[in-house]
């Protein structure tokens, strides 16, 4: 059974940083995607960042335009954990952040995720 457990959320002032972690168990990360999504109250869920493993040490990352240059997604094979380093945070980054796994690379991004975590709240104050 696949389990994704997020951590690292919290409250921070604008301009600050947070690092989210997603520990995966029961899941083999190879030739597929893991990613981070977010959903703010009253808004649709949006993909923030995705990382595709092509096998071995090949990784390809994709980012939403709104976070390019500020967020970095990475993966630690030994820990089977994906991270989202978030810098220069803005109030509009406030949302529940969800980790996802089992996505398919398609059209310059990743889609059709099979597994989801419970989410971790990020709140950025101005």
């Amino acid at each position: 059974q696949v389990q994704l457990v997020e951590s690292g959320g919290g409250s921070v002032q604008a301009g600050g940083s947070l690092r989210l972690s997603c520990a995966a168990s029961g899941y083999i990360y190879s030739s597929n995607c893991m990613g981070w999504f977010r959903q703010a109250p009253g808004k649709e869920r949006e993909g923030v960042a995705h990382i595709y493993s092509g096998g071995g040490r090949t990784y390809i990352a994709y980012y939403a335009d709104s976070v390019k240059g500020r967020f970095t997604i990475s993966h630690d094979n030994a820990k089977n954990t994906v991270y989202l380093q978030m810098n220069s945070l803005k109030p509009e980054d406030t949302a529940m952040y969800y980790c996802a796994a089992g996505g398919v690379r398609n059209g310059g991004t990743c889609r059709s995720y099979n597994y989801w975590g419970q989410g971790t709240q990020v709140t950025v104050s101005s």
Side-chain angles (χ1 to χ4, degrees), residues 36-53:
W36 287 96
F37 289 75
R38 67 186 181 188
Q39 188 167 20
K43 295 188 177 181
E44 291 188 357
R45 185 178 63 193
E46 64 169 336
V48 174
H50 311 272
I51 185 164
Y52 170 77
S53 169

Side-chain angles (χ1 to χ4, degrees), residues 19-95:
R19 188 176 81 154
L20 306 184
S21 301
C22 173
S25 59
Y27 175 71
I28 298 174
Y29 178 48
S30 178
S31 299
N32 53 48
C33 297
M34 294 187 73
W36 287 96
F37 289 75
R38 67 186 181 188
Q39 188 167 20
K43 295 188 177 181
E44 291 188 357
R45 185 178 63 193
E46 64 169 336
V48 174
H50 311 272
I51 185 164
Y52 170 77
S53 169
R57 297 184 178 182
T58 301
Y59 296 99
I60 302 173
Y62 306 102
Y63 298 95
D65 288 342
S66 58
V67 306
K68 279 181 182 176
R70 301 189 297 122
F71 291 11
T72 303
I73 190 170
S74 61
H75 184 265
D76 185 326
N77 260 349
K79 297 180 179 180
N80 208 16
T81 298
V82 65
Y83 302 97
L84 185 68
Q85 177 66 43
M86 305 186 295
N87 297 328
S88 302
L89 283 161
K90 304 175 181 180
E92 51 263 44
D93 294 318
T94 295

Side-chain angles (χ1 to χ4, degrees), residues 108-121:
T109 186
C110 294
R111 310 174 191 274
S112 306
Y113 284 88
N114 293 319
Y115 308 104
W116 295 85
Q118 294 299 307
T120 185
Q121 178 68 37

